[in-house]
Amino acid sequence: MSEKTRTIKVDYLARVEGEGAMHLKIDNGKLTDVKLKIFEPPRFFEGLLRDRAYTEAPDITARICGICPVAYQMSAVHAMENALGLKVEGQLRALRRLLYCGEWISSHTLHIYMLHAPDFLGYPSAVHMAKDHGAAVERGLQLKKVGGEIMTLLGGREIHPINVRVGGFYRVPTKKELQTLVSPLKKARDAAMETVRWVSGFDFPDFTQDYIFVALQHPQEYPFNEGRLVSSHGLDIAAAQYEDYFEEQHVEHSTALHCVLKDGKKAYHVGPMARYALNFDRLPQHIQDTAKGVGLGKVCRNPFKSIAVRSIEVLYACEEALRIIEDYEVPEAPFVEAAVKAGTGYAATEAPRGLLYHRYKISDKGEIEDANIVPPTSQNQKMIEDDLWQFVPQYIDLPDDKLQWHAEQAIRNYDPCISCSAHFLKLTVDRT
Amino acid sequence: MKTAFIIGIGNRHRGDDAAGLRVMDLLKADFATLEHDGEPASLIDAMQGHDRVILVDAVSSGAAAGEIFRLDLQKEGLPGAFTQTSTHSFGIVEAVELARALGKLPPALVFYGIEGKNLAVGDGISPEVQNATETVAASIRAETQEKKHA
């Protein structure tokens, strides 16, 4: 086998979020090529946003993703508020965190249970897994549902929430409405705790990388909407400086752009493992203890264990949601009014799968003149390829089907926002 | 008579992918309906508590545009061919099979698929698909009517 060329090619179609493909080439037992190709719809949206009113950005960009619309809405409103010099605080700010909790619970749970767990338990899909692990799958569905309920209550509907606006919300919930979430959230918290235990018992391939982690960091909170943009290697900047420190590179094999740090042109890692590594001490003490109890250190560098870190974030999101509801008082107005003025606004927020950067330039009439959106999957794309470059050689002697299994699992570690496509794969193996 | 729960699946902004939603629109006045994007977990949830659910979606199986497929999902699964090119049928197949594996299929579950031609981003629906949506809406009225008198 070693003197042959092996090509492992995975083409997959996605739902509306996009499509991607994986291509591995092995010559004489040596990995010679890794290509991950992701079609990236946000580019299309940036053109679409031009000449539209600044108030439309949250609703238009929410359409970029059916799995993480809240992230797009949050980065959009924060960037617009940055341009207008508007500060949203108090209960309105808390409600935004609550909405984000809903999305994290929903999106993370979908990934943990439906897309990633089958990799670890040896099933080709969640459907196959459900036959043997029905109780676990039911738990995942129930947990995900609670995330959806938060999004529906605050956002008006689950899939593309319509209640978010620059300055706050169109309508804010009553205390009584939010109280309806308490009982489901308490059950969700228990389910999240069980999830942590469940996924921590999986077998993880022995693999670590010395990642450059990049995430938001807030003085007190585990980050959703606000904070400095920091890295594990000393970066500490405002969102407005993002484009000074990061760049998007064109690569021949992909229509999508690869993001790298300008300094050294290195790949970097965004998402749960980055947030966790840079904000561990912002988690409540008992969640830190839970993480330690299941064998997660303060920093996790094994990307296969991202499923466990993700489960810790679900637990945190359930608790944070309960805390926000407990402290909730109906704000005086559902939104803060802003005077329109020309300017450029920047924001980065933490989408479930990592940092989501938005920049908008608006005119004195409030028309969008220019937009730049950098989604997390585009930032992780080069990192995923780097992981494959390191990981595949360790498993190079496996037959193609097993190698493909592990390689796909390695891609899914990042919950790329082609997630729906994850079990939707066509494989061709060419041996010459 | 609200004899069945109609779930239209698709994306209104991807050409013929809106077919399922157009059918749902035609039945809205007389049936309980839901617009859905096909996401499995919430779709399974949406089907619970209903005795009779009818799913309507655009499919892309290589058949002629506007061709109509009707499947009794209690008796058979959705064919793999539908899942290969539709922008979201993966979600429905997954939802139906997950519900089946968990014993959560509604007592009666029927799928109507309309073969699409253009699934590109943008509004507008092909004439063959438009005709098919009217036929499917009429079929659903007829089959639910039959049941009522049965």
Side-chain angles (χ1 to χ4, degrees):
Chain A
M1 196 157 81
S2 63
E3 66 280 359
K4 286 178 177 169
T5 297
R6 298 158 72 194
T7 306
I8 297 183
K9 228 172 109 184
V10 181
D11 302 316
Y12 53 97
L13 298 170
R15 293 205 262 168
V16 288
E17 285 83 48
E19 58 190 78
M22 177 183 76
H23 178 99
L24 302 177
K25 197 174 171 203
I26 298 157
D27 285 319
N28 295 323
K30 202 165 172 274
L31 181 66
T32 54
D33 198 18
V34 172
K35 285 192 177 102
L36 178 72
K37 201 173 151 180
I38 296 174
F39 166 70
E40 199 192 346
R43 302 287 132 199
F44 167 74
F45 276 84
E46 287 163 351
L48 197 91
L49 282 159
R50 267 177 220 124
D51 300 329
R52 304 298 286 257
Y54 77 99
T55 50
E56 291 182 282
D59 288 324
I60 293 173
T61 59
R63 292 277 166 179
I64 290 172
C65 181
I67 308 289
C68 50
V70 169
Y72 282 91
Q73 293 195 320
M74 289 297 118
S75 286
V77 293
H78 281 285
M80 291 306 179
E81 287 157 12
N82 180 249
L84 301 173
L86 189 66
K87 191 90 182 132
V88 175
E89 290 172 306
Q91 292 294 345
L92 291 175
R93 180 180 184 279
L95 284 176
R96 285 181 169 175
R97 277 181 76 78
L98 180 58
L99 183 59
Y100 235 139
C101 287
E103 180 160 285
W104 276 25
I105 295 169
S106 175
S107 172
H108 275 355
T109 304
L110 175 73
H111 186 260
I112 292 169
Y113 281 90
M114 302 299 147
L115 301 170
H116 214 192
D119 284 338
F120 291 94
L121 297 174
Y123 297 95
S125 77
V127 172
H128 294 83
M129 189 177 81
K131 286 169 190 148
D132 298 333
H133 297 270
V137 170
E138 289 260 24
R139 183 174 65 229
L141 289 173
Q142 286 312 308
L143 187 51
K144 183 184 184 301
K145 190 182 147 197
V146 177
E149 283 170 3
I150 297 175
M151 288 161 78
T152 304
L153 202 151
L154 279 181
R157 62 184 180 198
E158 181 179 351
I159 305 295
H160 294 293
I162 44 167
N163 190 32
V164 170
R165 54 162 289 165
V166 176
F169 294 86
Y170 288 99
R171 178 190 174 275
V172 288
T174 62
K175 277 179 92 156
K176 208 173 158 190
E177 282 172 329
L178 280 194
Q179 282 298 320
T180 62
L181 293 171
V182 170
S183 166
L185 268 168
K186 284 183 174 165
K187 284 188 197 134
R189 184 176 56 187
D190 294 343
M193 188 60 97
E194 277 195 56
T195 307
V196 173
R197 289 192 205 106
W198 186 57
V199 300
S200 301
F202 293 170
D203 283 330
F204 300 102
D206 185 16
F207 176 73
T208 56
Q209 283 247 71
D210 188 17
Y211 292 114
I212 300 175
F213 289 125
V214 175
L216 288 185
Q217 191 178 64
H218 184 274
Q220 289 94 34
E221 300 164 338
Y222 201 78
F224 284 109
N225 297 57
E226 276 174 41
R228 300 277 294 174
L229 227 160
V230 305
S231 86
S232 52
H233 289 53
L235 185 79
D236 184 354
I237 59 169
Q241 296 166 281
Y242 177 86
E243 288 171 66
D244 299 334
Y245 289 86
F246 298 89
E247 71 178 46
E248 296 175 283
Q249 294 182 328
H250 290 275
V251 286
E252 262 179 47
H253 65 262
S254 182
T255 52
L257 300 168
H258 273 192
C259 295
V260 291
L261 280 154
K262 280 191 179 172
D263 182 16
K265 309 290 179 207
K266 285 183 185 145
Y268 60 99
H269 184 128
V270 301
M273 290 205 338
R275 284 192 292 261
Y276 178 87
L278 296 165
N279 296 279
F280 180 80
D281 54 359
R282 269 77 164 171
L283 288 167
Q285 187 59 48
H286 66 279
I287 295 182
Q288 294 185 24
D289 295 343
T290 300
K292 284 179 188 161
V294 295
L296 280 175
K298 285 185 178 184
V299 177
C300 170
R301 291 190 181 85
N302 181 344
F304 293 92
K305 288 190 179 174
S306 61
I307 190 169
V309 176
R310 216 168 261 120
S311 74
I312 289 286
E313 288 199 333
V314 175
L315 178 61
Y316 172 72
C318 291
E319 296 220 350
E320 178 67 357
L322 282 165
R323 188 195 65 75
I324 291 166
I325 293 169
E326 173 97 354
D327 294 344
Y328 183 64
E329 298 290 341
V330 179
E332 277 179 23
F335 60 90
V336 187
E337 197 82 62
V340 178
K341 61 174 184 180
T344 302
Y346 312 82
T349 72
E350 287 287 352
R353 40 196 68 65
L355 197 78
L356 171 60
Y357 170 79
H358 284 209
R359 166 175 55 78
Y360 298 98
K361 184 168 182 244
I362 57 174
S363 71
D364 54 5
K365 294 192 189 73
E367 290 158 342
I368 298 168
E369 291 179 333
D370 191 31
N372 187 21
I373 295 171
V374 187
T377 297
S378 152
Q379 300 185 74
N380 275 335
Q381 198 177 342
K382 187 165 163 55
M383 198 72 254
I384 298 172
E385 285 187 358
D386 279 10
D387 274 7
L388 290 170
W389 274 112
Q390 300 301 319
F391 179 77
V392 171
Q394 295 182 21
Y395 291 84
I396 205 112
D397 293 329
L398 288 175
D400 285 346
D401 58 339
K402 293 246 167 59
L403 189 58
Q404 186 203 334
W405 184 285
H406 282 302
E408 282 183 37
Q409 188 178 7
I411 293 170
R412 283 195 273 272
N413 286 337
Y414 289 82
D415 184 12
C417 202
I418 41 172
S419 50
C420 327
S421 67
H423 292 113
F424 200 77
L425 301 155
K426 275 188 266 174
L427 168 73
T428 48
V429 181
D430 301 323
R431 292 177 187 277
T432 53
Chain B
M1 279 294 287
K2 292 181 178 177
T3 54
F5 183 45
I6 316 293
I7 303 180
I9 296 162
N11 183 335
R12 288 190 191 273
H13 308 290
R14 283 196 80 145
D16 293 341
D17 198 20
L21 305 178
R22 297 286 186 101
V23 172
M24 187 200 82
D25 291 343
L26 293 170
L27 297 169
K28 234 174 196 167
D30 305 309
F31 292 86
T33 60
L34 176 72
E35 177 168 342
H36 203 277
D37 75 339
E39 192 281 308
S42 59
L43 185 55
I44 293 175
D45 216 49
M47 294 192 293
Q48 301 312 302
H50 296 277
D51 290 336
R52 190 175 193 191
V53 176
I54 298 177
L55 302 172
V56 197
D57 191 15
V59 298
S60 183
S61 68
E67 188 161 332
I68 295 164
F69 301 87
R70 183 188 179 281
L71 300 166
D72 180 344
L73 296 182
Q74 271 291 356
K75 296 190 183 130
E76 56 192 322
L78 283 164
F82 288 175
T83 73
Q84 293 298 314
T85 44
S86 170
T87 53
H88 56 257
S89 284
F90 167 77
I92 312 171
V93 174
E94 178 113 313
V96 169
E97 293 316 313
L98 213 48
R100 195 191 307 277
L102 296 170
K104 296 182 93 169
L105 278 188
L109 181 63
V110 166
F111 174 85
Y112 275 97
I114 298 173
E115 184 77 14
K117 182 165 73 176
N118 164 35
L119 297 173
V121 174
D123 293 337
I125 190 163
S126 311
E128 304 96 309
V129 174
Q130 176 62 38
N131 289 340
T133 60
E134 286 157 25
T135 310
V136 169
S139 301
I140 290 174
R141 284 184 192 283
E143 77 168 77
T144 49
Q145 197 71 16
E146 266 168 36
K147 205 73 184 175
K148 202 172 68 182
H149 296 300

